[in-house]
Amino acid sequence: MPEPTSTSGISLAAVSIALLGPMAGPYALIVFAALAGALWPLSAADTMTRAAGAWLLLRCTLTAVVLTSALSLVLQNQWQIPANEALAPVAFAIGALGNGWRPVFEAVGSALQAVLSRAGGPKP
């Protein structure tokens, strides 16, 4: 009798390739790079439960999956780095940022306030 694991039906990779077709490769790259990056904040986190650690890992990975394509296109437009070559480093960096998004959002907010204050300042 064969082992149950050797006769299991369809693997997750086969399902994703069937659903996404040629898009499965870049998304798999983004997910694996984001997971690798998300291990850093997980290893630096204070002792937590397994569920809290899994939630942190999932949150960091999903954030990277959502933001990687847009940031890769920004890199391509600003510095002519091909977007398909920037996927892995961008996903890794976003995953490694982990819970450090608050300072990033505060810096972006400060920059937007400065731009708006200059644009709305007194006009001659």
Side-chain angles (χ1 to χ4, degrees):
M1 174 194 257
E3 294 181 20
T5 56
S6 65
T7 59
S8 61
I10 301 173
S11 70
L12 183 59
V15 169
S16 64
I17 290 170
L19 291 175
L20 299 173
M23 291 296 294
Y27 277 113
L29 173 73
I30 291 170
V31 168
F32 289 129
L35 277 171
L39 291 176
W40 274 356
L42 181 65
S43 68
D46 292 332
T47 55
M48 56 176 57
T49 64
R50 287 184 184 186
W55 177 242
L56 174 66
L57 195 66
L58 180 68
R59 213 177 37 212
C60 295
T61 303
L62 289 179
T63 302
V65 167
V66 169
L67 297 178
T68 296
S69 296
L71 290 178
S72 294
L73 289 174
V74 167
L75 285 175
Q76 180 174 334
N77 290 334
Q78 294 295 319
W79 294 289
Q80 288 72 41
I81 298 170
N84 60 347
E85 291 181 10
L87 290 176
V90 169
F92 183 84
I94 293 171
L97 193 56
N99 284 334
W101 283 99
R102 251 187 216 125
V104 172
F105 288 140
E106 288 173 3
V108 169
S110 298
L112 284 175
Q113 272 185 333
V115 167
L116 290 177
S117 68
R118 275 189 253 139
K123 295 182 182 175

Short mmCIF file of all heavy atoms in Angstrom, two decimals, residues 4-73:
data_model
loop_
_atom_site.label_atom_id
_atom_site.label_comp_id
_atom_site.label_asym_id
_atom_site.label_seq_id
_atom_site.Cartn_x
_atom_site.Cartn_y
_atom_site.Cartn_z
N PRO A 4 0.18 7.67 2.10
CA PRO A 4 -0.84 8.65 1.73
C PRO A 4 -0.25 9.95 1.17
O PRO A 4 -0.87 10.59 0.34
CB PRO A 4 -1.57 8.94 3.04
CG PRO A 4 -1.18 7.87 3.98
CD PRO A 4 0.09 7.27 3.48
N THR A 5 0.96 10.31 1.59
CA THR A 5 1.52 11.56 1.09
C THR A 5 1.97 11.44 -0.35
O THR A 5 2.00 12.44 -1.07
CB THR A 5 2.72 12.00 1.95
OG1 THR A 5 3.68 10.94 1.97
CG2 THR A 5 2.28 12.34 3.35
N SER A 6 2.32 10.24 -0.80
CA SER A 6 2.79 10.09 -2.17
C SER A 6 1.64 10.03 -3.17
O SER A 6 1.85 10.21 -4.35
CB SER A 6 3.67 8.85 -2.30
OG SER A 6 2.89 7.70 -2.05
N THR A 7 0.44 9.79 -2.70
CA THR A 7 -0.70 9.71 -3.61
C THR A 7 -1.68 10.87 -3.41
O THR A 7 -2.81 10.79 -3.85
CB THR A 7 -1.46 8.38 -3.41
OG1 THR A 7 -1.90 8.32 -2.07
CG2 THR A 7 -0.59 7.21 -3.76
N SER A 8 -1.22 11.91 -2.72
CA SER A 8 -2.13 13.03 -2.50
C SER A 8 -2.47 13.66 -3.84
O SER A 8 -1.69 13.63 -4.78
CB SER A 8 -1.51 14.05 -1.55
OG SER A 8 -0.33 14.55 -2.10
N GLY A 9 -3.62 14.29 -3.90
CA GLY A 9 -4.16 14.82 -5.15
C GLY A 9 -3.30 15.89 -5.78
O GLY A 9 -2.24 15.61 -6.33
N ILE A 10 -3.75 17.10 -5.69
CA ILE A 10 -3.09 18.21 -6.37
C ILE A 10 -2.35 19.06 -5.36
O ILE A 10 -2.87 19.37 -4.30
CB ILE A 10 -4.15 19.05 -7.11
CG1 ILE A 10 -4.90 18.18 -8.11
CG2 ILE A 10 -3.54 20.24 -7.78
CD1 ILE A 10 -6.07 18.88 -8.76
N SER A 11 -1.16 19.44 -5.71
CA SER A 11 -0.38 20.28 -4.80
C SER A 11 -0.78 21.74 -4.93
O SER A 11 -1.44 22.14 -5.89
CB SER A 11 1.11 20.13 -5.08
OG SER A 11 1.42 20.73 -6.32
N LEU A 12 -0.38 22.53 -3.96
CA LEU A 12 -0.70 23.95 -3.98
C LEU A 12 -0.05 24.64 -5.18
O LEU A 12 -0.65 25.51 -5.81
CB LEU A 12 -0.24 24.60 -2.68
CG LEU A 12 -0.54 26.07 -2.49
CD1 LEU A 12 -2.04 26.31 -2.56
CD2 LEU A 12 0.01 26.56 -1.18
N ALA A 13 1.16 24.23 -5.51
CA ALA A 13 1.84 24.82 -6.67
C ALA A 13 1.10 24.51 -7.97
O ALA A 13 0.93 25.37 -8.83
CB ALA A 13 3.27 24.31 -6.75
N ALA A 14 0.62 23.28 -8.09
CA ALA A 14 -0.12 22.90 -9.31
C ALA A 14 -1.42 23.68 -9.42
O ALA A 14 -1.80 24.11 -10.51
CB ALA A 14 -0.39 21.41 -9.31
N VAL A 15 -2.09 23.90 -8.30
CA VAL A 15 -3.34 24.66 -8.32
C VAL A 15 -3.06 26.11 -8.70
O VAL A 15 -3.78 26.70 -9.50
CB VAL A 15 -4.05 24.57 -6.96
CG1 VAL A 15 -5.20 25.57 -6.86
CG2 VAL A 15 -4.56 23.17 -6.72
N SER A 16 -2.00 26.70 -8.12
CA SER A 16 -1.71 28.10 -8.43
C SER A 16 -1.31 28.27 -9.89
O SER A 16 -1.69 29.25 -10.53
CB SER A 16 -0.62 28.64 -7.51
OG SER A 16 0.59 27.96 -7.73
N ILE A 17 -0.58 27.32 -10.45
CA ILE A 17 -0.22 27.40 -11.86
C ILE A 17 -1.46 27.23 -12.73
O ILE A 17 -1.62 27.93 -13.74
CB ILE A 17 0.86 26.35 -12.20
CG1 ILE A 17 2.18 26.74 -11.55
CG2 ILE A 17 1.02 26.20 -13.70
CD1 ILE A 17 3.25 25.70 -11.62
N ALA A 18 -2.36 26.35 -12.33
CA ALA A 18 -3.58 26.16 -13.11
C ALA A 18 -4.45 27.42 -13.08
O ALA A 18 -5.07 27.77 -14.07
CB ALA A 18 -4.36 24.97 -12.57
N LEU A 19 -4.49 28.09 -11.93
CA LEU A 19 -5.32 29.29 -11.82
C LEU A 19 -4.67 30.53 -12.41
O LEU A 19 -5.33 31.33 -13.05
CB LEU A 19 -5.66 29.56 -10.35
CG LEU A 19 -6.59 28.55 -9.68
CD1 LEU A 19 -6.73 28.88 -8.20
CD2 LEU A 19 -7.94 28.55 -10.35
N LEU A 20 -3.38 30.69 -12.17
CA LEU A 20 -2.71 31.92 -12.57
C LEU A 20 -1.94 31.82 -13.88
O LEU A 20 -1.58 32.85 -14.45
CB LEU A 20 -1.75 32.36 -11.46
CG LEU A 20 -2.39 32.67 -10.11
CD1 LEU A 20 -1.33 32.93 -9.08
CD2 LEU A 20 -3.34 33.83 -10.23
N GLY A 21 -1.67 30.63 -14.32
CA GLY A 21 -0.93 30.45 -15.57
C GLY A 21 0.46 31.06 -15.48
O GLY A 21 1.21 30.81 -14.53
N PRO A 22 0.83 31.90 -16.44
CA PRO A 22 2.17 32.47 -16.44
C PRO A 22 2.43 33.44 -15.28
O PRO A 22 3.55 33.76 -14.98
CB PRO A 22 2.26 33.22 -17.77
CG PRO A 22 0.97 33.08 -18.45
CD PRO A 22 0.08 32.24 -17.61
N MET A 23 1.36 33.90 -14.63
CA MET A 23 1.54 34.81 -13.51
C MET A 23 1.97 34.10 -12.24
O MET A 23 2.34 34.75 -11.25
CB MET A 23 0.22 35.56 -13.23
CG MET A 23 -0.16 36.55 -14.30
SD MET A 23 1.03 37.88 -14.45
CE MET A 23 0.82 38.67 -12.89
N ALA A 24 1.92 32.77 -12.21
CA ALA A 24 2.27 32.03 -11.00
C ALA A 24 3.73 32.22 -10.63
O ALA A 24 4.06 32.30 -9.44
CB ALA A 24 1.97 30.54 -11.18
N GLY A 25 4.61 32.32 -11.61
CA GLY A 25 6.03 32.47 -11.31
C GLY A 25 6.36 33.74 -10.55
O GLY A 25 6.97 33.68 -9.47
N PRO A 26 5.97 34.92 -11.05
CA PRO A 26 6.26 36.15 -10.30
C PRO A 26 5.59 36.19 -8.93
O PRO A 26 6.20 36.66 -7.96
CB PRO A 26 5.73 37.26 -11.20
CG PRO A 26 5.76 36.68 -12.57
CD PRO A 26 5.47 35.22 -12.39
N TYR A 27 4.37 35.70 -8.83
CA TYR A 27 3.71 35.71 -7.52
C TYR A 27 4.40 34.75 -6.55
O TYR A 27 4.53 35.05 -5.36
CB TYR A 27 2.23 35.38 -7.63
CG TYR A 27 1.41 36.58 -7.99
CD1 TYR A 27 0.77 36.67 -9.21
CD2 TYR A 27 1.29 37.65 -7.11
CE1 TYR A 27 0.02 37.79 -9.55
CE2 TYR A 27 0.54 38.76 -7.43
CZ TYR A 27 -0.08 38.83 -8.65
OH TYR A 27 -0.82 39.93 -8.98
N ALA A 28 4.83 33.60 -7.03
CA ALA A 28 5.56 32.68 -6.17
C ALA A 28 6.87 33.33 -5.71
O ALA A 28 7.26 33.21 -4.55
CB ALA A 28 5.83 31.37 -6.89
N LEU A 29 7.54 34.02 -6.62
CA LEU A 29 8.77 34.73 -6.26
C LEU A 29 8.50 35.78 -5.19
O LEU A 29 9.23 35.88 -4.20
CB LEU A 29 9.36 35.40 -7.50
CG LEU A 29 10.56 36.31 -7.28
CD1 LEU A 29 11.78 35.48 -6.97
CD2 LEU A 29 10.78 37.19 -8.48
N ILE A 30 7.43 36.55 -5.36
CA ILE A 30 7.09 37.58 -4.38
C ILE A 30 6.78 36.95 -3.02
O ILE A 30 7.25 37.42 -1.98
CB ILE A 30 5.90 38.43 -4.88
CG1 ILE A 30 6.33 39.27 -6.08
CG2 ILE A 30 5.36 39.31 -3.77
CD1 ILE A 30 5.18 39.95 -6.80
N VAL A 31 5.98 35.89 -3.02
CA VAL A 31 5.59 35.26 -1.75
C VAL A 31 6.81 34.69 -1.03
O VAL A 31 6.98 34.89 0.18
CB VAL A 31 4.52 34.17 -1.99
CG1 VAL A 31 4.32 33.31 -0.76
CG2 VAL A 31 3.22 34.81 -2.41
N PHE A 32 7.69 33.98 -1.75
CA PHE A 32 8.84 33.38 -1.09
C PHE A 32 9.84 34.43 -0.61
O PHE A 32 10.42 34.30 0.46
CB PHE A 32 9.52 32.35 -2.00
CG PHE A 32 8.71 31.10 -2.17
CD1 PHE A 32 8.45 30.59 -3.42
CD2 PHE A 32 8.18 30.43 -1.07
CE1 PHE A 32 7.69 29.45 -3.59
CE2 PHE A 32 7.43 29.29 -1.22
CZ PHE A 32 7.18 28.79 -2.48
N ALA A 33 10.05 35.49 -1.40
CA ALA A 33 10.95 36.56 -0.96
C ALA A 33 10.36 37.30 0.24
O ALA A 33 11.08 37.66 1.17
CB ALA A 33 11.21 37.53 -2.11
N ALA A 34 9.05 37.51 0.23
CA ALA A 34 8.40 38.18 1.36
C ALA A 34 8.47 37.32 2.61
O ALA A 34 8.69 37.82 3.72
CB ALA A 34 6.95 38.49 1.01
N LEU A 35 8.28 36.01 2.46
CA LEU A 35 8.41 35.12 3.61
C LEU A 35 9.82 35.14 4.18
O LEU A 35 10.01 35.17 5.40
CB LEU A 35 8.04 33.69 3.21
CG LEU A 35 6.56 33.35 3.21
CD1 LEU A 35 6.34 31.98 2.60
CD2 LEU A 35 6.01 33.40 4.62
N ALA A 36 10.80 35.14 3.29
CA ALA A 36 12.19 35.20 3.77
C ALA A 36 12.46 36.51 4.50
O ALA A 36 13.12 36.52 5.55
CB ALA A 36 13.15 35.05 2.59
N GLY A 37 11.95 37.61 3.98
CA GLY A 37 12.13 38.89 4.66
C GLY A 37 11.36 38.97 5.96
O GLY A 37 11.82 39.55 6.93
N ALA A 38 10.17 38.37 6.01
CA ALA A 38 9.33 38.43 7.21
C ALA A 38 9.89 37.61 8.35
O ALA A 38 9.48 37.79 9.50
CB ALA A 38 7.92 37.96 6.87
N LEU A 39 10.84 36.75 8.06
CA LEU A 39 11.45 35.98 9.15
C LEU A 39 12.31 36.86 10.06
O LEU A 39 12.51 36.54 11.22
CB LEU A 39 12.27 34.82 8.58
CG LEU A 39 11.44 33.71 7.94
CD1 LEU A 39 12.35 32.66 7.32
CD2 LEU A 39 10.50 33.07 8.94
N TRP A 40 12.82 37.98 9.55
CA TRP A 40 13.62 38.88 10.38
C TRP A 40 12.79 39.51 11.48
O TRP A 40 13.16 39.45 12.65
CB TRP A 40 14.31 39.93 9.54
CG TRP A 40 15.61 39.48 8.98
CD1 TRP A 40 16.23 38.30 9.21
CD2 TRP A 40 16.44 40.21 8.09
NE1 TRP A 40 17.39 38.23 8.51
CE2 TRP A 40 17.55 39.39 7.82
CE3 TRP A 40 16.35 41.44 7.49
CZ2 TRP A 40 18.57 39.79 6.98
CZ3 TRP A 40 17.37 41.84 6.66
CH2 TRP A 40 18.45 41.03 6.41
N PRO A 41 11.66 40.18 11.16
CA PRO A 41 10.89 40.73 12.27
C PRO A 41 10.34 39.65 13.20
O PRO A 41 10.17 39.89 14.39
CB PRO A 41 9.76 41.51 11.60
CG PRO A 41 9.81 41.22 10.18
CD PRO A 41 11.12 40.57 9.88
N LEU A 42 10.08 38.46 12.65
CA LEU A 42 9.60 37.38 13.50
C LEU A 42 10.68 36.95 14.48
O LEU A 42 10.41 36.73 15.65
CB LEU A 42 9.16 36.20 12.64
CG LEU A 42 8.62 34.99 13.40
CD1 LEU A 42 7.32 35.36 14.11
CD2 LEU A 42 8.38 33.83 12.45
N SER A 43 11.92 36.89 14.02
CA SER A 43 13.00 36.49 14.91
C SER A 43 13.34 37.57 15.93
O SER A 43 13.83 37.28 17.01
CB SER A 43 14.25 36.12 14.11
OG SER A 43 14.79 37.27 13.49
N ALA A 44 13.07 38.83 15.60
CA ALA A 44 13.37 39.93 16.52
C ALA A 44 12.22 40.22 17.48
O ALA A 44 12.40 40.97 18.43
CB ALA A 44 13.68 41.19 15.72
N ALA A 45 11.05 39.63 17.25
CA ALA A 45 9.88 39.90 18.10
C ALA A 45 10.09 39.29 19.47
O ALA A 45 10.75 38.26 19.62
CB ALA A 45 8.63 39.35 17.45
N ASP A 46 9.52 39.97 20.47
CA ASP A 46 9.56 39.42 21.82
C ASP A 46 8.82 38.10 21.84
O ASP A 46 8.03 37.80 20.96
CB ASP A 46 8.93 40.40 22.80
CG ASP A 46 9.77 41.66 22.96
OD1 ASP A 46 10.99 41.57 22.77
OD2 ASP A 46 9.19 42.72 23.24
N THR A 47 9.05 37.34 22.89
CA THR A 47 8.39 36.04 22.97
C THR A 47 6.89 36.21 22.83
O THR A 47 6.28 37.06 23.45
CB THR A 47 8.71 35.36 24.31
OG1 THR A 47 8.34 36.24 25.37
CG2 THR A 47 10.17 35.01 24.40
N MET A 48 6.33 35.44 21.94
CA MET A 48 4.91 35.53 21.65
C MET A 48 4.36 34.13 21.43
O MET A 48 5.12 33.17 21.33
CB MET A 48 4.67 36.39 20.41
CG MET A 48 5.41 35.92 19.18
SD MET A 48 5.09 36.82 17.67
CE MET A 48 5.51 38.46 18.07
N THR A 49 3.07 34.03 21.36
CA THR A 49 2.46 32.74 21.09
C THR A 49 2.68 32.36 19.63
O THR A 49 3.05 33.19 18.80
CB THR A 49 0.95 32.79 21.38
OG1 THR A 49 0.34 33.70 20.47
CG2 THR A 49 0.68 33.23 22.81
N ARG A 50 2.43 31.13 19.32
CA ARG A 50 2.56 30.68 17.93
C ARG A 50 1.56 31.39 17.04
O ARG A 50 1.88 31.73 15.90
CB ARG A 50 2.35 29.17 17.84
CG ARG A 50 3.50 28.39 18.37
CD ARG A 50 3.27 26.92 18.16
NE ARG A 50 4.35 26.17 18.77
CZ ARG A 50 4.49 24.88 18.68
NH1 ARG A 50 3.60 24.17 18.00
NH2 ARG A 50 5.50 24.27 19.24
N ALA A 51 0.37 31.60 17.56
CA ALA A 51 -0.66 32.28 16.76
C ALA A 51 -0.24 33.72 16.47
O ALA A 51 -0.42 34.21 15.35
CB ALA A 51 -2.00 32.25 17.49
N ALA A 52 0.33 34.41 17.45
CA ALA A 52 0.78 35.79 17.23
C ALA A 52 1.95 35.83 16.25
O ALA A 52 2.02 36.72 15.40
CB ALA A 52 1.18 36.44 18.55
N GLY A 53 2.84 34.86 16.33
CA GLY A 53 3.94 34.78 15.38
C GLY A 53 3.46 34.49 13.97
O GLY A 53 3.94 35.08 13.00
N ALA A 54 2.49 33.60 13.86
CA ALA A 54 1.93 33.29 12.53
C ALA A 54 1.20 34.50 11.97
O ALA A 54 1.29 34.78 10.77
CB ALA A 54 0.97 32.09 12.63
N TRP A 55 0.50 35.26 12.82
CA TRP A 55 -0.21 36.45 12.37
C TRP A 55 0.79 37.50 11.88
O TRP A 55 0.57 38.15 10.87
CB TRP A 55 -1.08 36.99 13.49
CG TRP A 55 -1.79 38.25 13.13
CD1 TRP A 55 -1.63 39.45 13.74
CD2 TRP A 55 -2.73 38.46 12.09
NE1 TRP A 55 -2.43 40.39 13.14
CE2 TRP A 55 -3.11 39.80 12.11
CE3 TRP A 55 -3.29 37.64 11.12
CZ2 TRP A 55 -4.03 40.35 11.22
CZ3 TRP A 55 -4.20 38.18 10.23
CH2 TRP A 55 -4.56 39.51 10.28
N LEU A 56 1.91 37.68 12.60
CA LEU A 56 2.94 38.61 12.18
C LEU A 56 3.52 38.20 10.83
O LEU A 56 3.68 39.04 9.92
CB LEU A 56 4.05 38.70 13.22
CG LEU A 56 5.26 39.55 12.85
CD1 LEU A 56 4.87 41.02 12.72
CD2 LEU A 56 6.37 39.38 13.87
N LEU A 57 3.83 36.92 10.67
CA LEU A 57 4.38 36.43 9.42
C LEU A 57 3.39 36.62 8.27
O LEU A 57 3.77 37.07 7.18
CB LEU A 57 4.74 34.94 9.58
CG LEU A 57 5.63 34.33 8.53
CD1 LEU A 57 7.02 34.95 8.60
CD2 LEU A 57 5.72 32.84 8.73
N LEU A 58 2.12 36.32 8.50
CA LEU A 58 1.10 36.48 7.47
C LEU A 58 0.91 37.95 7.11
O LEU A 58 0.83 38.31 5.93
CB LEU A 58 -0.22 35.88 7.95
CG LEU A 58 -1.39 35.97 6.97
CD1 LEU A 58 -1.14 35.09 5.76
CD2 LEU A 58 -2.68 35.57 7.66
N ARG A 59 0.89 38.82 8.12
CA ARG A 59 0.70 40.25 7.88
C ARG A 59 1.84 40.83 7.07
O ARG A 59 1.62 41.57 6.11
CB ARG A 59 0.61 40.95 9.24
CG ARG A 59 -0.27 42.11 9.28
CD ARG A 59 -0.35 42.71 10.66
NE ARG A 59 0.93 42.64 11.34
CZ ARG A 59 1.07 42.50 12.65
NH1 ARG A 59 0.04 42.42 13.41
NH2 ARG A 59 2.26 42.46 13.19
N CYS A 60 3.07 40.48 7.41
CA CYS A 60 4.24 40.99 6.67
C CYS A 60 4.24 40.46 5.23
O CYS A 60 4.53 41.21 4.29
CB CYS A 60 5.53 40.58 7.37
SG CYS A 60 5.75 41.32 8.98
N THR A 61 3.91 39.19 5.06
CA THR A 61 3.91 38.59 3.73
C THR A 61 2.82 39.19 2.86
O THR A 61 3.06 39.55 1.69
CB THR A 61 3.74 37.07 3.83
OG1 THR A 61 4.79 36.55 4.65
CG2 THR A 61 3.78 36.42 2.48
N LEU A 62 1.62 39.34 3.39
CA LEU A 62 0.53 39.91 2.60
C LEU A 62 0.78 41.38 2.26
O LEU A 62 0.43 41.83 1.16
CB LEU A 62 -0.80 39.74 3.33
CG LEU A 62 -1.33 38.32 3.41
CD1 LEU A 62 -2.64 38.27 4.19
CD2 LEU A 62 -1.51 37.71 2.03
N THR A 63 1.39 42.11 3.17
CA THR A 63 1.74 43.50 2.87
C THR A 63 2.71 43.55 1.70
O THR A 63 2.57 44.36 0.79
CB THR A 63 2.36 44.18 4.10
OG1 THR A 63 1.44 44.12 5.18
CG2 THR A 63 2.72 45.62 3.83
N ALA A 64 3.69 42.66 1.71
CA ALA A 64 4.66 42.62 0.61
C ALA A 64 4.00 42.21 -0.69
O ALA A 64 4.31 42.77 -1.75
CB ALA A 64 5.80 41.67 0.96
N VAL A 65 3.08 41.26 -0.64
CA VAL A 65 2.41 40.82 -1.86
C VAL A 65 1.61 41.98 -2.47
O VAL A 65 1.61 42.18 -3.69
CB VAL A 65 1.50 39.60 -1.57
CG1 VAL A 65 0.55 39.33 -2.72
CG2 VAL A 65 2.35 38.38 -1.28
N VAL A 66 0.96 42.77 -1.62
CA VAL A 66 0.13 43.86 -2.11
C VAL A 66 0.98 45.01 -2.66
O VAL A 66 0.65 45.60 -3.69
CB VAL A 66 -0.80 44.35 -0.99
CG1 VAL A 66 -1.49 45.65 -1.35
CG2 VAL A 66 -1.83 43.28 -0.66
N LEU A 67 2.09 45.34 -2.02
CA LEU A 67 2.85 46.54 -2.37
C LEU A 67 4.00 46.32 -3.35
O LEU A 67 4.49 47.29 -3.92
CB LEU A 67 3.41 47.19 -1.10
CG LEU A 67 2.39 47.70 -0.09
CD1 LEU A 67 3.09 48.26 1.13
CD2 LEU A 67 1.51 48.75 -0.73
N THR A 68 4.43 45.11 -3.54
CA THR A 68 5.64 44.86 -4.33
C THR A 68 5.52 45.32 -5.78
O THR A 68 6.43 45.97 -6.31
CB THR A 68 6.02 43.37 -4.29
OG1 THR A 68 6.34 43.04 -2.94
CG2 THR A 68 7.20 43.06 -5.17
N SER A 69 4.43 45.00 -6.43
CA SER A 69 4.30 45.37 -7.85
C SER A 69 4.33 46.88 -8.03
O SER A 69 5.02 47.39 -8.92
CB SER A 69 2.99 44.82 -8.42
OG SER A 69 3.02 43.42 -8.40
N ALA A 70 3.61 47.60 -7.19
CA ALA A 70 3.58 49.06 -7.32
C ALA A 70 4.96 49.67 -7.06
O ALA A 70 5.41 50.54 -7.82
CB ALA A 70 2.56 49.65 -6.36
N LEU A 71 5.63 49.21 -6.03
CA LEU A 71 6.96 49.76 -5.74
C LEU A 71 7.98 49.37 -6.81
O LEU A 71 8.88 50.16 -7.11
CB LEU A 71 7.43 49.33 -4.36
CG LEU A 71 6.67 49.96 -3.20
CD1 LEU A 71 7.18 49.43 -1.87
CD2 LEU A 71 6.78 51.46 -3.24
N SER A 72 7.83 48.20 -7.39
CA SER A 72 8.73 47.81 -8.48
C SER A 72 8.53 48.69 -9.70
O SER A 72 9.49 49.06 -10.39
CB SER A 72 8.51 46.35 -8.85
OG SER A 72 8.89 45.51 -7.79
N LEU A 73 7.28 49.06 -9.98
CA LEU A 73 7.01 49.96 -11.09
C LEU A 73 7.55 51.37 -10.81
O LEU A 73 8.03 52.04 -11.73
CB LEU A 73 5.52 50.00 -11.39
CG LEU A 73 4.95 48.73 -12.02
CD1 LEU A 73 3.44 48.82 -12.14
CD2 LEU A 73 5.59 48.46 -13.37
#
